[in-house]
Amino acid sequence: MSATETELKLALPPRDAAALAARLMRVPALARATPVREHLVSLYHDTPAQDLLRQRVALRLRREGPEGAGARWLQTLKTAGDTTSALSQRGEWEMPVAGPALELHRLEGTPWPAMDPDGVLAAALQPCFTTDFVRTRWRVRVRGGAVVEVALDVGAVTATVDGAAHATPLCELELELLQGPPEALLALARRIARHVPVLPLAASKAARGYALLHPPASPAVEAQPPALKRGMTVAQVAERVLQEPFHQFCANLFALQQGSDAPEVVHQARVGWRRLRSLARLFAPACAARPAPAAAALAPLLQSLGHLRDLDVARTQTLPALAAHYAQGGARQAAAWAAAQAALDAAADQARAQTRAALHRPAVGAALLAWQDWLHGWALAAQGECGVDACASDALAGAPARHWVRKRVQRLVRRLGAALKTAGDDEGLHHARILAKRLRYGSTSLAPLLPRRMGRHRGAAEQWQERLGAQRDWAQAAALVAGCGGDAAVVAFLRGAALGRGWDPLRDAARR
């Protein structure tokens, strides 16, 4: 029975599971270890009201080996970690049981007795979803004496909803720390990422099972700024505030990798990345000794995401909003507009395929793990482990956060005001739009630490971002239709519409 599990979870492309297993066999760090393969089936239990989910607890029965008398059964209770990081520490208590039935009396010494002192939860427990996968695992001893178990899990998560079975594919790597510091997991993961494409994944198998039972309204993961307390240090605030947009970015990349065609997934992936970059710049003075990773390795992915987002906006928002106006000119105009719409749809399909192909490049996974490593450094700084992380020795990292972040946001307010006063051309407007986004992201994520009066600056930044963005979107639609060989009259109409939405930035800035 173990009390703590430290692991790093990485998603792999689900379509090439066999090829990925073969490539993993050739990774130098794994090639020296003898792999062990086993078939695992797990039944997760909860009450009809899903009381365990609300308490962020998972309870499962797992069968190791083929069904029958020789099978080995394990009962496991897990508690969730404090963050949405792919690198997590969770409570885990595992024990053998006689067969495919819960033995809750074996959970003495775990959080279960405090959760269910009167046995009400125990009486209501029932199976709610299943995981069925083949695990290939390697036991690896890495530099410094750390020991890591690397497990490739390929299979599916299945749940029955209203009598119908729903499933999602499972293809992931789990690196579990058996001995040594958590940094050993990241070091080994980066060595693996040189050979196979990976994505840091925060969602557990249990979380994916619950998502089948209660599918979200949208597959896109939106910003969810973490709770902050006024007594936190700069490092403690930074660790929470930076981890959240990184999770948003990776979670939406995962949805795209898994096959989602929803335009909002692409949009929220870009929002997550921009929030991460903006907030990393905001906290940069507190971590001068260890700057954020370079974005060069992610450039192909980010460019592909940007192009795809431009196409999605043009084909799902800009053109539909203007279709009726242009079609008033007659059947020929309506046909030309429909042809432009079809061309953008086809271009978006191609761009989406290119974006997924970018996710299959090992360099992308390696770059994301570099960011995960950097974020782990903030976690160490937040814990005050000065001897491990360079940032922890910086005086700013241990300083009270409230006054410091207020000054940083006020600086953005002044810079945006100056940019709006001097924005006389497209380049100036673009610069102002970037500053408006940075102010919006920073003031929203840090709102609990800022005075209420700063809310008006956040609102103004949102308005400027939306207005400047709308003008750009209409102009971009004209350029995209032209690039797809659209009718010249359609392109001219879109350009005219974009010009008609212009305004005098000097006049608006003076009013404010």
Side-chain angles (χ1 to χ4, degrees):
M1 179 183 291
S2 173
T4 305
E5 173 192 56
T6 302
E7 71 173 13
L8 176 65
K9 192 180 293 288
L10 304 171
L12 302 172
R15 291 175 302 184
D16 303 320
L20 286 169
R23 289 169 71 178
L24 280 169
M25 297 284 189
R26 295 192 295 270
V27 173
L30 304 183
R32 294 186 293 270
T34 302
V36 176
R37 179 170 294 186
E38 54 191 346
H39 183 201
L40 304 176
V41 178
S42 298
L43 278 68
Y44 286 78
H45 292 69
D46 205 339
T47 67
Q50 297 191 339
D51 295 281
L52 301 193
L53 173 62
R54 283 200 295 271
Q55 297 188 55
R56 304 184 70 203
V57 168
L59 178 62
R60 76 176 184 223
L61 280 172
R62 170 169 288 176
R63 189 192 80 214
E64 295 182 347
E67 190 173 3
R72 180 173 180 248
W73 288 87
L74 297 171
Q75 176 178 265
T76 306
L77 181 73
K78 288 192 177 189
T79 56
D82 294 331
T83 70
T84 54
S85 172
L87 178 62
S88 64
Q89 286 189 322
R90 300 181 296 181
E92 181 187 59
W93 295 265
E94 188 169 80
M95 64 217 63
V97 291
L102 292 171
E103 297 181 9
L104 298 179
H105 65 278
R106 301 286 308 280
L107 295 176
E108 292 292 336
T110 78
W112 183 261
M115 290 173 50
D116 188 30
D118 51 10
V120 172
L121 296 183
L125 289 173
Q126 60 186 30
C128 52
F129 55 87
T130 302
T131 63
D132 188 337
F133 56 91
V134 173
R135 167 168 288 178
T136 305
R137 54 186 175 89
W138 298 260
R139 188 182 179 98
V140 181
R141 184 174 294 275
V142 298
R143 189 176 302 167
V147 180
V148 178
E149 181 179 274
V150 179
L152 170 65
D153 295 340
V154 179
V157 184
T158 305
T160 300
V161 181
D162 297 330
H166 298 263
T168 186
L170 190 63
C171 187
E172 63 187 34
L173 274 179
E174 287 185 357
L175 281 69
E176 183 176 353
L177 188 66
L178 303 181
Q179 177 182 311
E183 294 78 27
L185 295 179
L186 289 163
L188 179 57
R190 293 179 72 172
R191 292 167 66 186
I192 293 173
R194 298 172 191 166
H195 304 271
V196 296
V198 301
L199 277 178
L201 179 65
S204 65
K205 294 180 178 69
R208 297 179 66 185
Y210 281 114
L212 288 174
L213 293 175
H214 301 286
S218 167
V221 176
E222 298 184 1
Q224 297 178 337
L228 302 176
K229 298 178 182 179
R230 294 189 175 187
M232 287 181 165
T233 65
V234 171
Q236 289 170 338
V237 170
E239 189 268 332
R240 292 197 180 191
V241 165
L242 292 167
Q243 186 65 250
E244 183 269 326
F246 181 71
H247 165 66
Q248 182 188 11
F249 181 48
C250 292
N252 285 293
L253 292 181
F254 176 67
L256 182 64
Q257 180 202 66
Q258 296 296 298
S260 174
D261 292 332
E264 188 63 14
V265 165
V266 175
H267 175 50
Q268 292 300 330
R270 295 188 75 222
V271 169
W273 172 251
R274 289 175 170 177
R275 292 176 64 231
L276 176 62
R277 291 284 286 173
S278 294
L279 290 164
R281 291 185 64 173
L282 190 146
F283 282 98
C287 196
R290 191 176 57 87
L298 291 174
L301 171 64
L302 297 173
Q303 291 169 1
S304 183
L305 278 172
H307 180 54
L308 176 54
R309 175 58 183 166
D310 287 340
L311 286 165
D312 280 343
V313 170
R315 71 187 184 87
T316 65
Q317 298 177 27
T318 307
L319 260 67
L322 293 172
H325 299 285
Y326 191 78
Q328 290 177 355
R332 182 182 177 282
Q333 286 85 343
W337 193 270
Q341 179 74 60
L344 290 182
D345 290 340
D349 289 340
Q350 183 178 4
R352 210 173 305 276
Q354 291 172 346
T355 304
R356 290 195 176 106
L359 286 173
H360 290 184
R361 297 176 65 245
V364 169
L368 291 173
L369 284 171
W371 277 91
Q372 184 74 72
D373 193 15
W374 183 73
L375 291 168
H376 179 62
W378 276 113
L380 293 175
Q383 297 163 12
E385 297 187 18
C386 303
V388 180
D389 182 72
C391 287
S393 62
D394 193 314
L396 284 177
R402 188 179 177 192
H403 179 66
W404 188 83
V405 299
R406 184 180 303 181
K407 290 177 63 177
R408 295 291 290 167
V409 173
Q410 287 173 335
R411 181 174 180 269
L412 278 175
V413 170
R414 292 192 298 270
R415 291 186 63 191
L416 176 59
L420 290 172
K421 290 179 181 178
T422 58
D425 55 17
D426 289 345
E427 184 177 349
L429 288 172
H430 179 68
H431 177 62
R433 179 171 178 245
I434 296 300
L435 287 173
K437 284 185 177 183
R438 290 178 58 193
L439 176 57
R440 178 182 182 180
Y441 297 151
S443 57
T444 300
S445 296
L446 299 168
L449 304 180
L450 301 175
R452 290 186 178 181
R453 66 177 182 275
M454 280 195 174
R456 64 185 180 90
H457 295 303
R458 180 167 63 251
E462 290 177 4
Q463 292 177 15
W464 273 106
Q465 180 186 346
E466 290 171 1
R467 295 182 67 181
L468 291 167
Q471 186 188 45
R472 177 193 178 279
D473 290 342
W474 286 50
Q476 188 69 21
L480 290 170
V481 172
C484 291
D487 187 277
V490 173
V491 175
F493 177 83
L494 289 168
R495 286 174 176 162
L499 290 173
R501 291 179 65 88
W503 71 91
D504 184 347
L506 296 179
R507 181 191 61 210
D508 270 12
R511 287 178 180 175
R512 293 180 185 278

